[in-house]
Amino acid sequence: MVEYLIFLTISTSIFALFGLGLNLQWGFTGLINFGHVAFMTLGAYTTVLLSLKGVPLLLSAIIGAVVAALLGLAIGFSTLRLREDYLAIVTIGVGELIRLVVNNQDLPVGNEWKPGAFGVQSYPIPLATLVPNIFIKLLLIGVLTLLAGITLWQLWRWIRVSKVSNIANSHKKVGGNQEFISRLVIGVLLAVLTVAVYISGAIALYNYNPTAGLMLMSLIVLAFVFWRLEILVRSPWGRILKAIREDEEIPKALGKNVFWYKLQSLMLGGAIAGIAGAFIAWQLSAIYPNNFEPQETFNAWIIVILGGSGNNLGTVLGAIIYFIYYEGTRNLDKIIPLDSDRLSALRIMIIGLILMVLMIWRPQGILGKKEELTLGK
């Protein structure tokens, strides 16, 4: 049970990172990216191939993020001066192009070249060979404790802000109460999940399991990226991105270089997806071109839409809900007698139906702000 929860935590962290990159591009800037998996692919393969050449793992992951950002630069220069639909078309094509090139191109694995369709295996993974003493174990558990403590404190602040706002806007009692109750329920559920992950992680770190080390790394990176993005989107830079999303003619009239801001958003979102690619390669221990099919992009879209576009916490919540659903329906064949292919199609149909209902009931997503996305209209 502990190992399974750690696996789910790593998967959720990776796709939360992946979704945060897309949320920056779409949720905050309005860039339609249907090939987001291309950035993940480049990040994964760059990290793995460089590490096989002896480049330190951390440096390999950073270079992978830079390469993914450069892809965003190339796509941006070719499409961002055109209509929005050109970006959507180009990104779909680029995502498939990179996967097919990796599938059909020989790759330098070690001292020899191997067909890309055979995948890449036996590459270094962070903390896999670590044999920690009791001091290192306690240090790792201390870092996990700090992360859990910060998470619980931030959740408490998030709920408290809603309560204070509810009191201040008591003349709007019904709407305020609904927001406070929803925040309270979501906050309590996230707090329970945080405690469960903390207990499982502390046990696995004390008995040292390499996957627990990877889980801690993924949570640290997710927390750092989330923190920096929250600062960025609340800065003047982030406010310009939101203005571009709503009506780019307004920032243009104010003298802002809209093309440059879009390019920055596309590159930064791509770099974040590249980091997610490094982590998915480390989690899988062997990567193949079929790990990066277009479905991964639409999983990210599901996460962003479900949690609420233009809201970083909503993206993290969307990733949690998505993986709870995904793992919860894995054994649906015990209830409904279907083969694996039909079961997979049914699971996609169900989540599609959930999204349709959500779009009718709450089109801005669970934590999205409808008044912000429509400029209060």
Side-chain angles (χ1 to χ4, degrees), residues 259-274:
F259 171 77
W260 179 235
Y261 279 97
K262 284 182 176 181
L263 195 59
Q264 290 178 53
S265 176
L266 191 63
M267 291 176 66
L268 182 55
I272 294 170

Side-chain angles (χ1 to χ4, degrees), residues 98-353:
I98 290 178
R99 186 180 71 85
L100 292 174
V101 167
V102 170
N103 188 65
N104 293 284
Q105 179 66 44
D106 288 349
L107 300 174
V109 180
N111 296 321
E112 57 182 334
W113 291 74
K114 293 184 178 179
F118 291 169
V120 185
Q121 306 88 21
S122 304
Y123 47 80
I125 297 172
L127 306 178
T129 58
L130 179 66
V131 183
N133 55 32
I134 187 65
F135 175 75
I136 298 297
K137 289 179 181 179
L138 292 177
L139 180 62
L140 294 174
I141 293 173
V143 173
L144 182 63
T145 304
L146 180 62
L147 279 175
I150 292 173
T151 302
L152 293 173
W153 175 58
Q154 290 294 333
L155 286 173
W156 177 80
R157 285 187 60 193
W158 182 63
I159 295 171
R160 187 170 176 272
V161 165
S162 177
K163 184 177 181 181
V164 171
S165 177
N166 185 24
I167 294 171
N169 297 296
S170 55
H171 60 285
K172 300 177 182 177
K173 194 169 182 180
V174 176
N177 283 336
Q178 287 179 346
E179 181 183 356
F180 172 68
I181 292 170
S182 63
R183 281 202 181 197
L184 181 62
V185 171
I186 291 170
V188 169
L189 289 175
L190 290 178
V192 170
L193 283 173
T194 300
V195 172
V197 169
Y198 170 72
I199 294 172
S200 300
I203 293 171
L205 286 170
Y206 187 78
N207 298 317
Y208 195 69
N209 183 337
T211 56
L214 184 61
M215 180 199 75
L216 182 59
M217 280 188 62
S218 66
L219 290 174
I220 291 171
V221 172
L222 175 61
F224 178 78
V225 171
F226 179 87
W227 170 54
R228 295 311 302 172
L229 281 178
E230 283 290 282
I231 293 173
L232 278 175
V233 299
R234 285 179 167 82
S235 69
W237 183 80
R239 289 194 288 272
I240 292 172
L241 293 188
K242 292 178 184 178
I244 292 171
R245 176 192 66 197
E246 299 298 335
D247 186 352
E248 65 179 64
E249 296 303 321
I250 295 175
K252 275 183 182 178
L254 295 174
K256 303 299 181 182
N257 188 336
V258 170
F259 171 77
W260 179 235
Y261 279 97
K262 284 182 176 181
L263 195 59
Q264 290 178 53
S265 176
L266 191 63
M267 291 176 66
L268 182 55
I272 294 170
I275 295 171
F279 274 101
I280 203 168
W282 291 335
Q283 183 193 33
L284 295 174
S285 303
I287 54 172
Y288 300 88
N290 289 340
N291 294 135
F292 304 98
E293 293 186 340
Q295 179 61 41
E296 303 305 326
T297 294
F298 293 101
N299 289 340
W301 275 96
I302 290 169
I303 287 168
V304 171
I305 293 171
L306 189 61
S309 63
N311 188 301
N312 290 322
L313 181 59
T315 299
V316 176
L317 177 63
I320 292 170
I321 293 173
Y322 176 80
F323 273 95
I324 289 175
Y325 164 81
Y326 186 77
E327 294 300 320
T329 57
R330 185 177 291 276
N331 296 318
L332 199 61
D333 57 338
K334 295 180 180 178
I335 302 174
I336 304 173
L338 293 173
D339 57 55
S340 59
D341 291 337
R342 289 189 177 127
L343 179 62
S344 177
L346 178 63
R347 292 164 76 191
I348 294 173
M349 288 171 61
I350 291 173
I351 200 164
L353 179 61

